[in-house]
Amino acid sequence: MSEGMNSGICTVVLGCQWGDEGKGKIVDVLAEDVHVVARYQGGANAGHTVHVGEDEFILHQIPSGILYPGKRCLLGNGVVIDALGFGEEYDGLEARGIAVEGRVGVSQKAHLVMPYHRLLDQVSEDHAEQKIGTTGRGIGPAYEEKAGRSGLRVCDLAHPDRAAALVEKGVERACRRAKLLGGELSQDIGAMVEEAVLAGERLNGLATDTGLEILDALRGGKDVLLEGAQGTALDLDHGTYPFVTSSNTTAGGAATGSGIGPTAIDVVIGVVKAYTTRVGNGPLPTGFEPEMNEHFRELGGEFGATTGRPRRCGWFDVVLARYSARVNGLTGLAVTKLDVLDTLPEISIATAYRTPRSEVHEFPADTWQLGEVEPVYETLPGWEAPTQEARTLSDLPDAARRYLDRIEELTETPVQMVSVGTRRSQIIRL
Ligand code: IMP
Ligand code: MG
C-alpha cells in the first residue's frame, strides 16, 4: 500500500525487453478489477494485440482496458497523440461494438503528432547513416519538438489561432529540416495538416487532467492500472541508445507521464516474454542464427503489430531482465508466451555476457559494447509437452516449472503471472 490517504492500488505494467512482451494481454487480464487504465508514454508506435473470444484487437493509442466495459481509459501527458490515427481507432472500436463514448480522456498537456512529424520521421530514416529502424509514426520528431518547447498540445486546440500559429511554425521547421537532411515533405502537407487539426477537435472534447483523475480514483478506493508501451531496453535514458524510442518507458515515466507522484505507485509488474525479441535496429545479444530465428518467428508469430516487420528472436536474457528489475523497481514478473517453447528439447538462458576482457553481469551502458558481447548460456531441459491448457502452476510440466523457477531465482523477482496463450483464460496467476 502506498502512504497517505490513497486506498486504491496503483499498478504499473511495463515491458522489460525490447517491447512486444505481451503487455496488452496482461493489462487486459488485470483490467477486469480496476476502474482506470492509463497510457503514460509513446504513441501510435505501439501495437497492443488483445484477443477477446474469437476477436483480435490491435490497439495503438487507446489503452487495452477499453475492451472491458465501463473502464475509464486515459492517455496521459507523456503520450504523443496522433489525432488522425486516434480518431480512426476510436471509430473502429465503436464499429466493432465497443462502447467508447464517455470512457476515453486525453491529457490537456499531451502533445500532438502531426503529419509533418510522420513525414519527417520517414525522411530522417531514409537519409540517416545510422538508421534506427523506427516505426515511421513521427514519434521521434514529436518528442523533439516537445523537448524543444515548440510542440502543439491538446490544450492549444481550444484556441484555434494559437494552434494555427504553432502548426504553421511546425510545418516550416519540418520542411527546413527535411531539406537539410536531403529530402522533402510531401506536397500535400497543407491538406494533411488541415485534416489533422480537424481531427484534433475531437481530442479537445476529451481533454482532462489525467493526474487528478487518477488520484481521485485512488482516493475513492478504486484501483488504477498504468500501461507502458515499448520496453525497458527501448527507454530513451536506460535503453540501447541511440536504438531506442524517444520516451521513458520505465517505471519513473509512469509517474511523470500520467501526472502523479512516484509514491502513489504501489505495484510494478514487469512483463517478459519467455524468450527475447527485437524489431528495429540495434544489438540483440542472445539473437539466434538465421535458421533458428526463422523457426521461432513461426512458433511465436513474431511479426510487428504496427509495421508487420519480422522480429528478431533470441533466448531469454537474464542480464537484461535483472537490469529491468532494478531500473523499474519491479515488484513482480509476468512471463508471457511460455507455450511458444513447448516443442523445444532444450532451452537456454543467458546468465552473463563475456567481453574480450571479462565476464559482465550488468547491462552495459555502451551500446557498441553490448553489440560485441558473447552471452554465457545455461541450458535447461525442455518439457516437450503442451502448456496451453494449464491454469495453475501444478498443471505445468516439471521442466516448465523449473524454467520459471530459474528465471525467478536469477532475476530475484517473483513470477506472479504466466501466460500460455493469446486468450484471456490462458493465464496462470500466482
Ligand atoms: P520509434 O518509437 O518509432 O521512434 O522507433 C524507435 C525504435 O523503437 C525502433 O527500433 C522501433 O522498432 C522500436 N519500437 C517502437 N515501438 C515499438 C513497439 O511497440 N514494439 C516494439 N518495438 C517498438
Ligand atoms: Mg507491440
Side-chain angles (χ1 to χ4, degrees):
M1 281 299 299
S2 63
E3 298 188 52
M5 306 194 322
N6 297 352
S7 44
I9 305 285
C10 185
T11 301
V12 179
V13 175
L14 49 77
C16 289
Q17 294 155 329
W18 278 278
D20 307 314
E21 298 91 350
K23 296 174 292 290
K25 154 86 186 261
I26 299 300
V27 168
D28 181 63
V29 167
L30 293 173
E32 188 174 5
D33 305 318
V34 309
H35 282 74
V36 179
V37 184
R39 280 270 311 262
Y40 57 85
Q41 42 72 230
N45 50 351
H48 291 167
T49 309
V50 183
H51 292 257
V52 183
E54 295 304 308
D55 293 326
E56 181 187 83
F57 293 87
I58 299 180
L59 296 156
H60 297 289
Q61 302 196 74
I62 297 179
S64 317
I66 199 74
L67 301 175
Y68 266 107
K71 311 295 176 194
R72 177 83 171 145
C73 291
L74 302 175
L75 280 76
N77 54 279
V79 175
V80 286
I81 308 175
D82 185 311
L84 279 172
F86 178 89
E88 277 166 26
E89 195 165 313
Y90 189 106
D91 294 338
L93 285 167
E94 292 246 287
R96 291 180 68 181
I98 308 290
V100 185
E101 180 94 52
R103 293 179 50 205
V104 180
V106 302
S107 168
Q108 298 151 329
K109 300 175 194 162
H111 284 244
L112 270 75
V113 180
M114 297 299 282
Y116 45 86
H117 295 133
R118 213 172 47 235
L119 293 169
L120 190 55
D121 192 358
Q122 287 150 12
V123 170
S124 304
E125 280 285 272
D126 287 348
H127 292 80
E129 240 169 79
Q130 183 78 260
K131 293 191 200 308
I132 305 299
T134 73
T135 60
R137 294 298 187 272
I139 304 300
Y143 279 117
E144 278 179 46
E145 286 215 314
K146 174 177 176 176
R149 294 158 294 190
S150 349
L152 172 69
R153 300 193 298 167
V154 168
C155 60
D156 296 319
L157 297 167
H159 305 276
D161 291 346
R162 190 203 300 166
L166 285 166
V167 165
E168 193 183 326
K169 290 221 178 75
V171 174
E172 267 173 36
R173 258 194 317 275
C175 288
R176 254 185 284 128
R177 184 78 190 279
K179 214 172 262 168
L180 274 174
L181 290 166
E184 59 179 347
L185 301 193
S186 149
Q187 297 297 310
D188 285 340
I189 187 75
M192 291 164 89
V193 167
E194 216 168 289
E195 202 188 343
V197 170
L198 263 176
E201 277 175 21
R202 175 189 238 148
L203 293 177
N204 185 25
L206 302 176
T208 184
D209 183 334
T210 55
L212 188 59
E213 272 205 46
I214 291 169
L215 277 189
D216 279 345
L218 292 171
R219 287 193 187 114
K222 296 170 178 170
D223 294 345
V224 172
L225 212 55
L226 303 180
E227 172 183 351
Q230 291 86 45
T232 300
L234 288 173
D235 182 280
L236 179 60
D237 286 79
H238 301 292
T240 51
Y241 193 90
F243 304 102
V244 293
T245 192
S246 302
S247 63
N248 286 117
T249 60
T250 43
T256 28
S258 66
I260 60 170
T263 51
I265 296 171
D266 303 285
V267 176
V268 184
I269 296 180
V271 187
V272 288
K273 199 142 45 177
Y275 49 101
T276 311
T277 62
R278 173 162 208 178
V279 61
N281 299 335
L284 173 62
T286 62
F288 293 131
E289 295 299 324
E291 200 179 319
M292 184 68 162
N293 193 49
E294 202 64 36
H295 182 54
F296 246 80
R297 197 177 276 162
E298 294 306 323
L299 282 177
E302 296 296 350
F303 296 89
T306 298
T307 57
R309 289 181 292 176
R311 297 174 183 147
R312 287 181 278 157
C313 305
W315 293 122
F316 189 83
D317 185 341
V318 165
V319 183
L320 172 58
R322 283 180 57 239
Y323 172 71
S324 291
R326 172 161 66 87
V327 298
N328 291 303
L330 295 188
T331 56
L333 281 177
V335 179
T336 61
K337 296 187 114 171
L338 186 72
D339 58 301
V340 172
L341 308 180
D342 283 353
T343 54
L344 303 173
E346 285 187 332
I347 300 165
S348 296
I349 298 180
T351 55
Y353 300 148
R354 202 171 288 123
T355 72
R357 271 155 280 121
S358 62
E359 201 171 283
V360 289
H361 296 265
E362 298 301 333
F363 199 67
D366 186 325
T367 301
W368 278 263
Q369 187 194 343
L370 183 70
E372 287 169 357
V373 300
E374 207 45 66
V376 179
Y377 287 114
E378 173 178 313
T379 298
L380 286 87
W383 42 94
E384 298 182 272
T387 57
Q388 293 208 327
E389 301 304 320
R391 297 295 177 267
T392 65
L393 217 45
S394 55
D395 293 340
L396 287 175
D398 286 347
R401 288 215 301 272
R402 272 203 297 279
Y403 184 65
L404 293 171
D405 285 347
R406 197 64 187 128
I407 287 180
E408 186 167 284
E409 216 167 72
L410 290 166
T411 59
E412 297 169 50
T413 311
V415 173
Q416 293 176 332
M417 298 172 88
V418 182
S419 173
V420 290
T422 55
R423 289 163 189 277
R424 266 181 190 167
S425 61
Q426 291 175 306
I427 193 94
I428 300 170
R429 295 181 76 162
L430 307 169

